[in-house]
Amino acid sequence: MPSVSEKRLFSHRLRDTNSAFLPARQQEERPTRVGFVLLPHFSMMAFTAAVDALVTANLVQATPLFAFATYGLESTTVRSDLAIDISANATLEQLPLEGEAALDVVIVCGGFRCDLNERAPLSHKLKLAAKRQKVLGGLWNGAVALAHAGLLDRLACAIHPDNHTFARERFPHVQVSHQVMVVTERVLTSAGPSSALEMMLVLIERLHGKDTVRAIREILSSDRIADSNETRLTLAENDPSLPEPLRNLLHLMNSNIEEPLGIEELAAYVGLSRRRIERLFQGHLETTPSRYYLELRITHARRLLLQSDASIANIAVACGFVSSTHFSHCFKDFFGVSPSQARQLRKG
Protein backbone atom coordinates (compact mmCIF):
# COMPACT_ATOMS: atom_id res chain seq x y z
CA MET A 1 0.00 0.00 0.00
CA PRO A 2 1.66 3.26 -1.05
CA SER A 3 1.96 6.16 1.37
CA VAL A 4 3.64 9.53 1.19
CA SER A 5 7.37 8.98 0.90
CA GLU A 6 9.52 10.56 3.59
CA LYS A 7 12.72 10.23 1.66
CA ARG A 8 11.94 13.42 -0.27
CA LEU A 9 11.51 15.46 2.89
CA PHE A 10 14.99 15.15 4.30
CA SER A 11 18.34 15.08 2.57
CA HIS A 12 22.00 15.96 2.98
CA ARG A 13 22.17 13.80 6.11
CA LEU A 14 25.69 12.81 7.04
CA ARG A 15 25.39 9.85 9.38
CA ASP A 16 29.04 9.82 10.39
CA THR A 17 29.12 8.77 14.03
CA ASN A 18 32.85 9.04 14.63
CA SER A 19 34.17 10.79 17.70
CA ALA A 20 35.22 13.86 15.73
CA PHE A 21 31.68 15.20 15.92
CA LEU A 22 32.01 15.73 19.67
CA PRO A 23 34.84 14.47 21.86
CA ALA A 24 34.19 10.95 23.12
CA ARG A 25 34.96 12.12 26.65
CA GLN A 26 31.97 14.43 26.55
CA GLN A 27 29.72 11.63 25.33
CA GLU A 28 30.79 9.23 28.08
CA GLU A 29 31.33 11.36 31.18
CA ARG A 30 28.64 14.02 31.09
CA PRO A 31 25.52 15.02 29.18
CA THR A 32 25.97 16.88 25.92
CA ARG A 33 25.16 20.52 26.66
CA VAL A 34 22.89 22.25 24.15
CA GLY A 35 22.16 25.98 24.18
CA PHE A 36 19.17 27.49 22.37
CA VAL A 37 19.43 31.19 21.46
CA LEU A 38 15.85 32.44 21.26
CA LEU A 39 15.34 35.30 18.84
CA PRO A 40 12.34 37.58 19.43
CA HIS A 41 9.24 35.97 17.83
CA PHE A 42 10.99 32.59 17.58
CA SER A 43 8.87 29.63 16.49
CA MET A 44 7.53 27.94 19.60
CA MET A 45 6.67 24.79 17.65
CA ALA A 46 10.15 24.42 16.17
CA PHE A 47 11.80 25.06 19.53
CA THR A 48 9.62 22.64 21.47
CA ALA A 49 10.04 19.97 18.79
CA ALA A 50 13.81 20.21 19.15
CA VAL A 51 13.67 20.18 22.95
CA ASP A 52 11.20 17.29 22.93
CA ALA A 53 13.79 15.12 21.19
CA LEU A 54 16.39 15.89 23.88
CA VAL A 55 14.02 15.39 26.80
CA THR A 56 12.79 12.10 25.37
CA ALA A 57 16.38 10.96 24.81
CA ASN A 58 16.96 11.37 28.53
CA LEU A 59 13.94 9.19 29.25
CA VAL A 60 15.22 6.19 27.31
CA GLN A 61 18.58 5.93 29.09
CA ALA A 62 19.51 5.31 32.71
CA THR A 63 21.62 8.48 32.84
CA PRO A 64 20.82 11.81 31.15
CA LEU A 65 22.26 12.17 27.67
CA PHE A 66 21.58 15.90 27.25
CA ALA A 67 21.30 19.09 29.24
CA PHE A 68 19.91 22.22 27.65
CA ALA A 69 19.55 25.90 28.44
CA THR A 70 17.94 28.89 26.75
CA TYR A 71 19.39 32.34 26.07
CA GLY A 72 17.78 35.65 25.16
CA LEU A 73 19.68 38.26 23.18
CA GLU A 74 19.57 41.02 25.79
CA SER A 75 16.90 39.87 28.23
CA THR A 76 15.86 36.66 29.92
CA THR A 77 12.29 37.27 28.75
CA VAL A 78 11.73 36.44 25.09
CA ARG A 79 8.41 36.70 23.24
CA SER A 80 7.59 33.75 21.00
CA ASP A 81 5.61 33.77 17.77
CA LEU A 82 2.54 32.88 19.84
CA ALA A 83 2.85 36.15 21.79
CA ILE A 84 3.78 34.10 24.86
CA ASP A 85 6.70 35.39 26.91
CA ILE A 86 9.29 32.70 27.65
CA SER A 87 11.75 32.95 30.53
CA ALA A 88 15.22 32.13 29.25
CA ASN A 89 17.93 30.80 31.56
CA ALA A 90 20.37 33.59 30.74
CA THR A 91 21.32 36.20 28.17
CA LEU A 92 23.56 35.82 25.14
CA GLU A 93 26.43 37.51 26.98
CA GLN A 94 26.33 34.70 29.54
CA LEU A 95 26.33 31.87 27.00
CA PRO A 96 29.32 29.70 28.06
CA LEU A 97 31.83 28.46 25.50
CA GLU A 98 34.71 27.63 27.83
CA GLY A 99 35.19 25.88 31.16
CA GLU A 100 33.22 23.14 32.84
CA ALA A 101 29.86 24.68 31.90
CA ALA A 102 30.77 25.15 28.21
CA LEU A 103 28.12 24.27 25.68
CA ASP A 104 28.76 21.61 23.04
CA VAL A 105 25.97 22.67 20.69
CA VAL A 106 24.58 26.16 20.00
CA ILE A 107 21.28 26.44 18.11
CA VAL A 108 19.68 29.71 16.97
CA CYS A 109 15.87 29.58 17.03
CA GLY A 110 14.19 31.78 14.44
CA GLY A 111 10.58 32.30 13.43
CA PHE A 112 8.24 33.79 10.87
CA ARG A 113 8.44 37.39 12.18
CA CYS A 114 12.06 37.39 13.33
CA ASP A 115 14.19 40.36 12.32
CA LEU A 116 16.68 39.12 9.72
CA ASN A 117 19.18 41.96 10.20
CA GLU A 118 22.56 41.12 11.66
CA ARG A 119 23.05 41.38 15.42
CA ALA A 120 26.73 42.00 16.05
CA PRO A 121 26.86 40.39 19.53
CA LEU A 122 25.24 37.24 18.19
CA SER A 123 27.59 37.06 15.21
CA HIS A 124 30.54 37.50 17.57
CA LYS A 125 29.34 34.73 19.86
CA LEU A 126 28.69 32.35 16.96
CA LYS A 127 32.15 32.99 15.54
CA LEU A 128 33.67 32.17 18.92
CA ALA A 129 31.59 29.00 19.08
CA ALA A 130 32.80 27.94 15.63
CA LYS A 131 36.41 28.70 16.59
CA ARG A 132 36.01 26.41 19.59
CA GLN A 133 34.65 23.64 17.37
CA LYS A 134 31.11 23.72 18.71
CA VAL A 135 28.28 22.17 16.73
CA LEU A 136 26.02 24.93 15.39
CA GLY A 137 22.38 24.83 14.38
CA GLY A 138 19.52 26.94 13.08
CA LEU A 139 15.76 26.43 13.36
CA TRP A 140 13.29 28.01 10.90
CA ASN A 141 15.42 30.97 9.72
CA GLY A 142 18.03 30.66 12.46
CA ALA A 143 20.52 29.83 9.71
CA VAL A 144 20.41 33.50 8.71
CA ALA A 145 22.30 34.36 11.91
CA LEU A 146 24.92 31.74 11.04
CA ALA A 147 25.22 33.24 7.56
CA HIS A 148 25.68 36.75 8.97
CA ALA A 149 28.59 35.36 10.99
CA GLY A 150 30.15 33.98 7.81
CA LEU A 151 29.80 30.39 8.99
CA LEU A 152 27.80 29.06 6.04
CA ASP A 153 29.97 30.21 3.13
CA ARG A 154 30.17 27.43 0.52
CA LEU A 155 27.83 25.30 2.62
CA ALA A 156 24.25 24.23 2.02
CA CYS A 157 21.63 25.14 4.60
CA ALA A 158 17.89 24.88 5.22
CA ILE A 159 15.85 28.04 5.77
CA HIS A 160 12.10 28.58 5.83
CA PRO A 161 10.96 29.11 2.21
CA ASP A 162 9.61 32.58 2.99
CA ASN A 163 13.21 33.69 3.54
CA HIS A 164 14.83 32.01 0.54
CA THR A 165 14.87 35.11 -1.64
CA PHE A 166 16.36 37.26 1.11
CA ALA A 167 19.02 34.68 1.92
CA ARG A 168 20.05 34.16 -1.69
CA GLU A 169 20.40 37.88 -2.33
CA ARG A 170 22.11 38.70 0.96
CA PHE A 171 24.44 35.67 1.09
CA PRO A 172 25.60 34.80 -2.43
CA HIS A 173 28.21 32.34 -1.11
CA VAL A 174 25.65 30.31 0.84
CA GLN A 175 23.80 27.45 -0.86
CA VAL A 176 20.17 27.89 0.19
CA SER A 177 18.65 24.44 -0.16
CA HIS A 178 15.11 23.55 -1.19
CA GLN A 179 15.26 20.74 1.36
CA VAL A 180 13.68 21.23 4.78
CA MET A 181 16.73 19.94 6.62
CA VAL A 182 20.45 20.04 5.88
CA VAL A 183 23.09 18.45 8.10
CA THR A 184 26.79 18.87 7.41
CA GLU A 185 29.75 17.94 9.57
CA ARG A 186 29.27 20.60 12.24
CA VAL A 187 26.21 22.56 11.14
CA LEU A 188 22.58 21.46 11.38
CA THR A 189 19.76 23.55 9.90
CA SER A 190 16.03 23.00 9.49
CA ALA A 191 13.15 25.01 8.03
CA GLY A 192 10.23 24.23 10.32
CA PRO A 193 8.87 22.29 13.30
CA SER A 194 8.79 18.77 11.83
CA SER A 195 12.26 19.08 10.39
CA ALA A 196 13.49 20.54 13.70
CA LEU A 197 12.60 17.27 15.39
CA GLU A 198 14.25 15.25 12.64
CA MET A 199 17.35 17.44 12.80
CA MET A 200 17.74 16.74 16.50
CA LEU A 201 17.24 13.02 15.94
CA VAL A 202 20.14 13.08 13.48
CA LEU A 203 22.26 14.74 16.17
CA ILE A 204 21.19 12.14 18.74
CA GLU A 205 21.88 9.28 16.35
CA ARG A 206 25.37 10.58 15.69
CA LEU A 207 26.14 10.68 19.39
CA HIS A 208 24.23 7.71 20.75
CA GLY A 209 23.29 5.47 17.86
CA LYS A 210 20.22 4.22 16.06
CA ASP A 211 18.83 2.22 18.99
CA THR A 212 18.42 5.40 21.05
CA VAL A 213 16.65 7.17 18.20
CA ARG A 214 14.42 4.16 17.62
CA ALA A 215 13.38 4.24 21.28
CA ILE A 216 12.67 7.98 21.04
CA ARG A 217 10.49 7.48 17.98
CA GLU A 218 8.53 4.77 19.77
CA ILE A 219 7.75 7.13 22.64
CA LEU A 220 6.89 10.09 20.41
CA SER A 221 4.60 7.93 18.29
CA SER A 222 2.78 6.38 21.23
CA ASP A 223 -0.56 7.74 19.98
CA ARG A 224 -0.47 5.44 16.99
CA ILE A 225 -2.22 2.10 16.78
CA ALA A 226 0.21 -0.63 17.78
CA ASP A 227 -0.25 -2.69 14.64
CA SER A 228 2.25 -3.78 12.02
CA ASN A 229 -0.04 -2.65 9.19
CA GLU A 230 -0.39 0.90 10.48
CA THR A 231 0.07 3.66 7.90
CA ARG A 232 2.09 6.71 8.76
CA LEU A 233 0.99 9.74 6.81
CA THR A 234 3.52 12.53 6.50
CA LEU A 235 1.75 15.70 5.48
CA ALA A 236 3.77 17.36 2.76
CA GLU A 237 1.74 20.54 2.37
CA ASN A 238 4.54 22.72 3.78
CA ASP A 239 7.45 20.86 2.22
CA PRO A 240 9.32 23.54 0.22
CA SER A 241 10.95 20.92 -2.00
CA LEU A 242 7.59 20.17 -3.62
CA PRO A 243 6.30 22.26 -6.56
CA GLU A 244 3.94 25.06 -5.55
CA PRO A 245 1.00 23.68 -7.60
CA LEU A 246 1.28 20.39 -5.73
CA ARG A 247 1.44 22.13 -2.36
CA ASN A 248 -1.67 24.10 -3.35
CA LEU A 249 -3.45 20.84 -4.10
CA LEU A 250 -2.41 19.37 -0.75
CA HIS A 251 -3.68 22.50 0.99
CA LEU A 252 -7.04 22.17 -0.77
CA MET A 253 -7.29 18.55 0.32
CA ASN A 254 -6.39 19.39 3.90
CA SER A 255 -9.01 22.13 3.93
CA ASN A 256 -11.78 19.93 2.54
CA ILE A 257 -11.87 16.78 4.65
CA GLU A 258 -15.59 16.68 5.49
CA GLU A 259 -16.69 17.33 1.90
CA PRO A 260 -13.91 15.98 -0.33
CA LEU A 261 -13.36 17.64 -3.67
CA GLY A 262 -13.41 15.59 -6.84
CA ILE A 263 -10.38 15.47 -9.11
CA GLU A 264 -12.07 17.75 -11.63
CA GLU A 265 -12.85 20.31 -8.91
CA LEU A 266 -9.25 20.22 -7.73
CA ALA A 267 -8.06 20.69 -11.30
CA ALA A 268 -10.33 23.71 -11.77
CA TYR A 269 -9.13 25.35 -8.54
CA VAL A 270 -5.43 25.13 -9.43
CA GLY A 271 -5.76 25.52 -13.19
CA LEU A 272 -4.14 22.21 -14.10
CA SER A 273 -5.31 19.27 -16.14
CA ARG A 274 -6.26 16.01 -14.49
CA ARG A 275 -3.33 14.28 -16.16
CA ARG A 276 -0.91 16.94 -14.90
CA ILE A 277 -2.18 16.50 -11.34
CA GLU A 278 -1.77 12.73 -11.55
CA ARG A 279 1.82 13.16 -12.77
CA LEU A 280 2.60 15.54 -9.90
CA PHE A 281 1.37 13.09 -7.29
CA GLN A 282 3.06 10.10 -8.87
CA GLY A 283 6.35 11.88 -9.49
CA HIS A 284 6.73 13.56 -6.10
CA LEU A 285 4.64 11.52 -3.65
CA GLU A 286 4.65 8.12 -5.36
CA THR A 287 0.90 7.75 -5.11
CA THR A 288 -2.31 8.83 -6.85
CA PRO A 289 -4.39 11.88 -5.89
CA SER A 290 -7.32 9.72 -4.80
CA ARG A 291 -5.11 7.45 -2.71
CA TYR A 292 -3.43 10.39 -1.00
CA TYR A 293 -6.78 12.06 -0.31
CA LEU A 294 -8.20 8.84 1.14
CA GLU A 295 -5.13 8.34 3.31
CA LEU A 296 -5.39 11.92 4.51
CA ARG A 297 -9.05 11.52 5.45
CA ILE A 298 -8.64 8.12 7.07
CA THR A 299 -5.71 9.35 9.14
CA HIS A 300 -7.72 12.36 10.27
CA ALA A 301 -10.52 9.96 11.17
CA ARG A 302 -8.13 7.89 13.28
CA ARG A 303 -7.07 11.00 15.13
CA LEU A 304 -10.70 11.84 15.92
CA LEU A 305 -11.37 8.25 16.88
CA LEU A 306 -8.53 8.13 19.40
CA GLN A 307 -8.77 11.66 20.75
CA SER A 308 -12.53 12.22 21.05
CA ASP A 309 -15.67 10.47 22.22
CA ALA A 310 -17.54 11.10 18.96
CA SER A 311 -19.46 8.15 17.57
CA ILE A 312 -17.98 6.19 14.69
CA ALA A 313 -20.90 7.26 12.52
CA ASN A 314 -20.26 10.97 13.21
CA ILE A 315 -16.54 10.55 12.58
CA ALA A 316 -17.30 8.89 9.26
CA VAL A 317 -19.43 11.87 8.21
CA ALA A 318 -16.84 14.38 9.46
CA CYS A 319 -14.20 12.76 7.26
CA GLY A 320 -16.27 12.58 4.09
CA PHE A 321 -17.35 8.92 4.06
CA VAL A 322 -20.79 8.13 2.69
CA SER A 323 -21.53 5.46 5.29
CA SER A 324 -20.15 3.92 8.48
CA THR A 325 -19.74 0.62 6.64
CA HIS A 326 -17.59 2.18 3.93
CA PHE A 327 -15.56 4.01 6.57
CA SER A 328 -15.01 0.81 8.57
CA HIS A 329 -13.85 -1.08 5.48
CA CYS A 330 -11.39 1.67 4.50
CA PHE A 331 -10.12 2.00 8.07
CA LYS A 332 -9.44 -1.72 8.39
CA ASP A 333 -7.69 -1.76 5.01
CA PHE A 334 -5.34 0.98 6.18
CA PHE A 335 -4.74 0.02 9.81
CA GLY A 336 -5.53 -3.66 10.00
CA VAL A 337 -8.16 -3.22 12.70
CA SER A 338 -11.71 -1.90 12.70
CA PRO A 339 -12.53 1.53 14.16
CA SER A 340 -14.13 -0.05 17.22
CA GLN A 341 -11.10 -2.29 17.78
CA ALA A 342 -8.77 0.70 17.43
CA ARG A 343 -10.69 2.58 20.10
CA GLN A 344 -10.54 -0.44 22.40
CA LEU A 345 -6.79 -0.75 21.89
CA ARG A 346 -6.36 2.91 22.74
CA LYS A 347 -8.27 2.50 25.99
CA GLY A 348 -6.04 -0.43 26.76
Side-chain angles (χ1 to χ4, degrees), residues 154-167:
R154 295 177 297 280
L155 293 178
C157 70
I159 299 176
H160 192 276
D162 285 341
N163 305 126
H164 280 191
T165 300
F166 167 85

Side-chain angles (χ1 to χ4, degrees), residues 17-303:
T17 57
N18 61 40
S19 59
F21 187 63
L22 286 178
R25 176 184 60 80
Q26 293 178 5
Q27 299 177 38
E28 296 172 358
E29 296 181 1
R30 65 168 175 80
T32 300
R33 296 194 175 103
V34 182
F36 292 94
V37 179
L38 306 179
L39 302 181
H41 308 297
F42 71 95
S43 167
M44 180 74 84
M45 286 186 66
F47 168 65
T48 54
V51 171
D52 200 5
L54 301 182
V55 171
T56 309
N58 289 342
L59 296 176
V60 302
Q61 297 291 342
T63 57
L65 302 180
F66 295 92
F68 72 92
T70 52
Y71 300 87
L73 293 181
E74 299 175 346
S75 170
T76 55
T77 299
V78 186
R79 176 149 294 195
S80 73
D81 60 341
L82 301 180
I84 297 174
D85 290 335
I86 301 300
S87 295
N89 297 104
T91 62
L92 179 67
E93 184 180 7
Q94 299 166 302
L95 187 149
L97 296 174
E98 294 181 309
E100 287 299 316
L103 298 175
D104 306 303
V105 183
V106 178
I107 298 175
V108 181
C109 303
F112 184 74
R113 293 192 295 120
C114 286
D115 185 353
L116 300 182
N117 291 317
E118 183 175 11
R119 296 173 173 85
L122 179 56
S123 291
H124 176 69
K125 186 69 73 170
L126 292 173
K127 289 176 183 178
L128 287 178
K131 185 176 181 180
R132 289 167 174 74
Q133 298 296 298
K134 308 299 181 181
V135 175
L136 301 175
L139 305 181
W140 199 284
N141 49 24
V144 170
L146 302 179
H148 277 305
L151 304 177
L152 295 180
D153 288 354
R154 295 177 297 280
L155 293 178
C157 70
I159 299 176
H160 192 276
D162 285 341
N163 305 126
H164 280 191
T165 300
F166 167 85
R168 289 193 175 102
E169 291 181 356
R170 179 64 178 78
F171 309 111
H173 300 297
V174 175
Q175 302 172 31
V176 178
S177 175
H178 285 291
Q179 303 300 324
V180 296
M181 182 183 73
V182 176
V183 175
T184 60
E185 184 179 356
R186 285 190 174 274
V187 179
L188 309 92
T189 54
S190 64
S194 297
S195 53
L197 173 62
E198 292 296 327
M199 185 188 87
M200 299 307 291
L201 291 178
V202 172
L203 171 68
I204 294 168
E205 182 178 319
R206 281 185 169 187
L207 298 176
H208 302 288
K210 294 182 178 180
D211 288 343
T212 299
V213 170
R214 187 177 300 112
I216 294 170
R217 288 191 185 279
E218 288 176 359
I219 291 176
L220 296 182
S221 63
S222 60
D223 64 331
R224 300 182 196 165
I225 300 170
D227 188 274
S228 60
N229 293 324
E230 173 194 5
T231 297
R232 180 172 185 260
L233 178 65
T234 302
L235 295 178
E237 178 185 342
N238 296 315
D239 177 12
S241 69
L242 297 179
E244 184 177 357
L246 178 55
R247 283 187 277 130
N248 290 338
L249 286 164
L250 301 185
H251 177 71
L252 282 170
M253 290 178 173
N254 273 310
S255 302
N256 294 274
I257 297 293
E258 185 172 351
E259 297 182 6
L261 300 173
I263 185 69
E264 299 300 336
E265 290 177 290
L266 291 169
Y269 274 117
V270 297
L272 297 175
S273 68
R274 180 186 185 122
R275 180 57 183 154
R276 174 59 177 160
I277 290 175
E278 290 172 346
R279 286 200 298 267
L280 283 172
F281 273 85
Q282 193 61 52
H284 294 275
L285 301 178
E286 300 177 2
T287 188
T288 65
S290 60
R291 188 65 178 182
Y292 179 92
Y293 211 166
L294 177 59
E295 191 174 357
L296 182 68
R297 290 160 51 217
I298 206 72
T299 303
H300 181 65
R302 178 176 62 84
R303 192 176 302 115

Side-chain angles (χ1 to χ4, degrees), residues 297-348:
R297 290 160 51 217
I298 206 72
T299 303
H300 181 65
R302 178 176 62 84
R303 192 176 302 115
L304 293 176
L305 188 74
L306 302 183
Q307 298 179 6
S308 76
D309 295 325
S311 68
I312 292 175
N314 286 341
I315 290 174
V317 172
C319 297
F321 291 92
V322 295
S323 70
S324 298
T325 301
H326 181 224
F327 168 59
S328 295
H329 285 160
C330 292
F331 193 96
K332 190 167 185 178
D333 284 343
F334 269 81
F335 300 114
V337 293
S338 68
S340 58
Q341 289 172 326
R343 183 164 271 177
Q344 290 172 0
L345 288 170
R346 176 62 173 170
K347 293 178 179 178

Side-chain angles (χ1 to χ4, degrees), residues 6-14 177-183 189:
E6 291 183 15
K7 67 184 179 180
R8 298 180 184 275
L9 294 181
F10 308 114
S11 68
H12 301 293
R13 295 187 182 188
L14 302 182
S177 175
H178 285 291
Q179 303 300 324
V180 296
M181 182 183 73
V182 176
V183 175
T189 54

